[in-house]
Amino acid sequence: MWAPMGRGRWHGCALTVWATAAAHRGILEPRPMPTRGAAAKSRSQDRLYSSADRKEKIDMSRFSVENIRNFSIIAHVDHGKSTLADRLLELTGTIDKTKNNKQVLDKLQVERERGITVKAQTASLFYNYEGKQYLLNLIDTPGHVDFSYEVSRSLSACQGVLLVVDANEGIQAQTVANFFLAFEAQLSVIPVINKIDLKNADPERVEKQIEKVFDIPTDECIKISAKLGTNVERVLQAVIERIPPPKVHRKNPLKALVFDSTFDQYRGVIANVALFDGVVSKGDKIVSAHTKKIYEVNEVGVLNPNEQPTHKLYAGQVGYLIAGMKDVTEAQIGDTLYLHKQPVEPLPGFKSAKPMVFAGMYPIDQSEYNNLKSAVEKLTINDSSVTVHRDSSLALGAGWRLGFLGLLHMEVFNQRLEQEYNASVILTTPTVPYKAVLSSAKLIKARRAVQKNMVYIDQNRVMLKYLFPLNEIVVDFYDSLKSLSSGYASFDYEDAGYQTAELVKMDILLNGNLVEELVTIVHKDKAHSVGKAICERLKDSLPRQLFEIAIQAAIGSKIIARETVKAYRKNVLAKCYGGDITRKMKLLKRQAEGKKKLRKIGNIEVPKDAFIKVLRTQPDNDGRRNRSNVTGI
Amino acid sequence: MALPAARARGWAAAVKMAQRRRHAEAPRGSPSRAPPGSRAALYVHWPYCEKRCSYCNFNKYIPRGVEEAAMRSCLVTEAQTLLRLSGVQRVESVFFGGGTPSLASPNTVAAVLEAVDQISHLPADSEVTLEANPTSAPGSRLAAFGAAGVNRLSIGLQSLDDTELQLLGRTHSARDALQTLAEARRLFPGRVSVDLMLGLPAQQVQRGALPAPDPELAAEMYQEGRAMLREVGFRQYEVSNFARNGALSTHNWTYWQCGQYLGVGPGAHGRFVPQGAGGHTREARIQTLEPDNWMKEVMLFGHGTRRRVPLGQLELLEEVLAMGLRTDVGITHQHWQQFEPQLSLWDVFGASQEVKALLAQGLLLLDHRGLRCSWEGLAVLDSLLLTLLPRLQEAWQQRTPSPVQGG
């Protein structure tokens, strides 16, 4: 899965390791699990050698500040950010021009599987324009609303953005949201209308939309097809012409912003930095403004997009820095780094991301707690928008209460835990934060949406603003919106504070046993319908057992909904003769293994994904596998 | 089809000799008392069919003209090789399965049986079953197979409804089936079995794929069917096998009792200790799947064994458990002790709370006879095994200090 990234050599190495392991196991068939391990291995090997095998270091001093441009690509999901990034990388010779360049900057397995960008990625492009060598630092950003925190962080290292809009779909919710992020940061905005090769493309209409909504003249739009490469050269030229160079000084003492960081198990923390002033090189003693700890720089370099060491990094440049930070908490994103004994005024940093959806996370087996703990810690340093609080549950033991930016964010986090750390967890109901006023036993929240604003973008499109209770939108609002509008509507949200509401606590019972994970706070008027829906969905996701299961929703002692899962009547495989025994035993053992992972509530065995399934309105048949539906918020 | 007179005579002579031998041996004990390592069942796979049936996922091929002589000689060769390898002294049953073995000539059947009797000993009362399809087995052919040594027929009836038969892609009609059945009963009185399918979809079927059976309906048909068979005097001796007047299939019984069996022919499975080659460990063996490749290998090496997996003691016990519980007698203490003298069924299952819950639910029985399913429990055996197998593993690990030995 890492092969298309142009690092076949090391991938091949990892494969050899795996093949040997398989050979040791002899005649047994390869099981799915080690494949994951192999993936993780290939990734770490990529990491380990990607910089070491390139001894030739680039002299970054030849890029003076006026020849540097730092920019991001922002867009609504699926409007073509990653494809444009691929083309820019090819055009500047950063990567080879082959047919395999798809989502080059999307390194995570989950990104490639889902076709989305989750984590911002940086690449330094070298580009010759009118006789001058330019250094263009590109930061690819996620498009999904859940990941807008990544966008705002990336923008702090930029002076301009490419605002990519689909020539067919036009302006969508995230186009607006991302535009305002860039606008507030006072960045130059270059509108790029992409996918002009599509049959239904209407770039003129989109130009007019851009003019109306963003007040950008139509002649500033660049019309391209990133897929075919049409006009992409113009984009690079516009970056140089229209985006100002960073306002920084090489002569001043070092002032570097940590705008992202990753953790490598061999080299420790790798901090992505933007230099606002000064120079940094190997051997420098630097200080973190946040912790006041002193570090010695081991390596600096640029990302193109793999780490490539350089002698130095200069003001205005974007790159990475490794300074022996071993602990995940040492590289705070938003921190300012300066030279020892040359303190500077720290940069403003970032306001921390506000979690919108919470979930309890527990190891399936408590003996896995420490492994999971370190996996969560490592993942959260790569994704600092996840908030982590220790929690414990009578049923599940020690775990955490995690805050996510949205449901997709939660799913992606879970998937990364599984894929990158081979950790299996139980996730419990996501809840939104409520503030309880104990005296009146009322919780604060509004129920119905209130219309705040309505703007016609053009004849075909209207932008509506509503005040919504968060619990109405976190689970199923988006799915309903998409299905009602046949996929045309798009959606974005921001937090509007707390409001008053009447809420009750609803329990879910299995044969009379409380299911802690499914305790739900729900509006009084909605308790019945929500309870019924949860019972029905639970019925669909609970496998039959040797006895009947009653699923009940209750408020206090009052049962408000009930479903029944009938007992198994027959599940024995009919035919089993000499040729069937091996297969039959394999199947039984796999099922017995799976059974160990089930959570027991009373004597009922519940698969761990049952809870997640319960939270979704429509199961897999609603097109969740369809890329645009999963990611199109 | 001409009767393979010479071979049949050879076999008949062998039968007579065997009968004499049996009489001579009788005072020394019945055949089943022979040491387990010295006896085995033999499965022979005939890989060809006339056409493909829509439901069947067996290893079978639609031939463009079978070189029967070559196939025959390979089956004989492989049977000889594997019998020598196993060191088996006595073959207690032979089963010709497929494919459609009734498409083979009685000649081939006779040749294999003769080879078996030459290398080891095939007693005259050994069960020799042939799978037959109604269309490929007119009465005269069945008689010829009888002359070749077959003494039991397993007829692929599947259904007695013409629409269903068509749906399954069978080449015969209900009438053909009944006629074949009548012929078979006349020729092999008391030694005929039929295959029937349940849970077949009703007649509305899209072209192409068959829809999966409705589990609820299939469960009901199963319960109704077994109850009805019980009423008319059939013993349900295994999950999907019923017999009247004690006419159990000895061959299949060997599978569920984890006896030794040799698999001959493309894709055939076997489980035996290669004692003839000095082995002491039971192995699961699979022969090469494709008939052409298998034949090449047999011609080169005398056998077409593609894969040999040694079975550890725990694995064997797991099979004893999973297979034994499929039968109505379940696993007797005596049977279990043959495989595991140290750790009794009581030791393994007696103290487990989860097992006790199954006993209390009336799905499972553990008593002085052994461990077995109740009538209700048999229908949900696969669920019971998910509790019993991990329990066995646990007990085994506690018993054996080094997990390596657990295999």
Side-chain angles (χ1 to χ4, degrees), chain A residues 464-493:
Chain A
L464 304 164
K465 279 195 184 168
Y466 282 93
L467 192 62
F468 263 107
L470 184 55
N471 70 341
E472 298 280 344
I473 58 175
V474 286
V475 177
D476 57 0
F477 175 77
Y478 177 66
D479 280 353
S480 318
L481 180 71
K482 273 285 178 196
S483 62
L484 278 175
S485 64
S486 311
Y488 282 105
S490 59
F491 162 67
D492 185 24
Y493 64 82

Side-chain angles (χ1 to χ4, degrees), chain B residues 41-343:
Chain B
L42 177 74
Y43 175 81
V44 183
H45 192 78
W46 180 261
Y48 302 113
C49 286
E50 244 172 347
K51 71 180 287 263
R52 222 168 270 276
C53 297
S54 54
Y55 60 89
C56 175
N57 62 351
F58 273 37
N59 182 38
K60 82 283 169 180
Y61 300 83
I62 313 302
R64 287 161 301 206
V66 184
E67 277 278 355
E68 177 147 3
M71 179 49 89
R72 177 189 309 138
S73 121
C74 284
L75 286 172
V76 165
T77 306
E78 188 169 58
Q80 287 169 333
T81 310
L82 295 184
L83 280 167
R84 282 197 190 102
L85 189 67
S86 70
V88 159
Q89 304 294 313
R90 183 183 186 94
V91 173
E92 298 193 319
S93 66
V94 181
F95 193 104
F96 290 90
T100 310
S102 52
L103 287 175
S105 76
N107 230 340
T108 298
V109 168
V112 172
L113 292 175
E114 208 173 322
V116 172
D117 192 48
Q118 272 168 14
I119 301 288
S120 51
H121 168 45
L122 180 66
D125 62 344
S126 292
E127 176 186 284
V128 179
T129 310
L130 176 85
E131 276 184 341
N133 269 359
T135 35
S136 61
S140 56
R141 249 182 104 73
L142 293 183
F145 280 119
V150 170
N151 57 23
R152 185 174 173 275
L153 276 189
S154 168
I155 303 177
L157 224 54
Q158 315 310 355
S159 167
L160 285 173
D161 179 312
D162 281 340
T163 323
E164 283 182 350
L165 287 170
Q166 250 176 352
L167 168 79
L168 294 170
R170 303 291 291 181
T171 51
H172 66 266
S173 66
R175 213 172 132 256
D176 296 336
L178 288 173
Q179 207 175 343
T180 306
L181 180 58
E183 289 279 1
R185 293 181 66 178
R186 186 176 59 79
L187 289 163
F188 304 93
R191 308 204 68 169
V192 177
S193 81
V194 298
D195 289 356
L196 284 172
M197 295 176 86
L198 65 79
L200 289 175
Q203 286 134 6
Q204 79 287 2
V205 172
Q206 295 88 357
R207 252 191 306 166
L210 291 183
D214 169 41
E216 196 59 23
L217 188 66
E220 202 167 314
M221 291 172 90
Y222 181 69
Q223 300 292 20
E224 293 268 318
R226 62 200 285 234
M228 196 183 75
L229 283 165
R230 183 162 67 170
E231 273 167 37
V232 295
F234 279 86
R235 166 180 165 197
Q236 183 177 10
Y237 65 105
E238 194 259 357
V239 170
S240 56
N241 281 270
F242 303 82
R244 205 159 48 170
N245 306 327
L248 284 69
S249 161
T250 325
H251 184 84
N252 289 338
W253 193 256
T254 305
Y255 294 144
W256 305 316
Q257 294 292 303
C258 290
Q260 294 203 105
Y261 59 99
L262 277 58
V264 168
H269 288 239
R271 268 171 167 66
F272 63 88
V273 182
Q275 276 181 338
H280 298 288
T281 311
R282 185 172 161 113
E283 291 178 357
R285 287 168 165 258
I286 304 175
Q287 311 308 106
T288 294
L289 272 179
E290 312 80 12
D292 293 351
N293 295 345
W294 171 82
M295 281 207 265
K296 272 181 215 149
E297 287 168 36
V298 173
M299 285 189 254
L300 277 170
F301 315 113
H303 66 87
T305 302
R306 178 51 65 93
R307 218 160 102 118
R308 294 167 50 194
V309 184
L311 294 171
Q313 175 68 3
L314 174 60
E315 275 176 291
L316 178 57
L317 291 179
E318 286 169 344
E319 293 190 1
V320 170
L321 182 68
M323 296 303 129
L325 286 179
R326 293 181 69 88
T327 62
D328 59 346
V329 298
I331 303 149
T332 62
H333 291 297
Q334 194 191 4
H335 176 59
W336 179 263
Q337 220 181 352
Q338 276 181 18
F339 292 94
E340 177 49 54
Q342 313 287 324
L343 201 63

Side-chain angles (χ1 to χ4, degrees), chain A residues 42-97:
Chain A
S42 97
R43 184 161 178 269
S44 55
Q45 295 218 356
D46 277 340
R47 278 284 197 189
L48 184 60
Y49 297 109
S50 57
S51 56
D53 64 349
R54 273 180 246 219
K55 289 285 172 243
E56 206 180 312
K57 287 190 180 178
I58 303 171
D59 177 13
M60 295 302 287
S61 68
R62 58 199 174 99
F63 299 102
S64 63
V65 173
E66 51 275 17
N67 293 344
I68 296 173
R69 302 291 183 272
N70 297 321
F71 69 104
S72 272
I73 311 181
I74 56 175
H76 190 78
V77 159
D78 268 358
H79 282 196
K81 281 180 311 291
S82 300
T83 315
L84 177 57
D86 290 347
R87 288 300 94 71
L88 295 179
L89 260 57
E90 285 172 12
L91 256 183
T92 53
T94 311
I95 55 172
D96 291 336
K97 211 167 186 169

Side-chain angles (χ1 to χ4, degrees), chain A residues 5 9 19 141 174 184 210 212 222 317 326 368 375 396 416 421 439 444 452 512 524 527 532 542 550 553 581:
Chain A
M5 292 164 56
R9 189 170 145 210
T141 64
Q174 276 297 296
E184 279 164 23
I210 289 172
K212 179 156 184 179
I222 306 173
Q317 297 176 353
K326 290 276 178 277
E368 290 288 304
L396 301 173
R416 288 186 65 187
Y421 296 93
S439 55
I444 304 164
K452 296 305 251 185
K524 204 180 69 176
K532 191 166 182 301
L542 276 183
I581 296 175

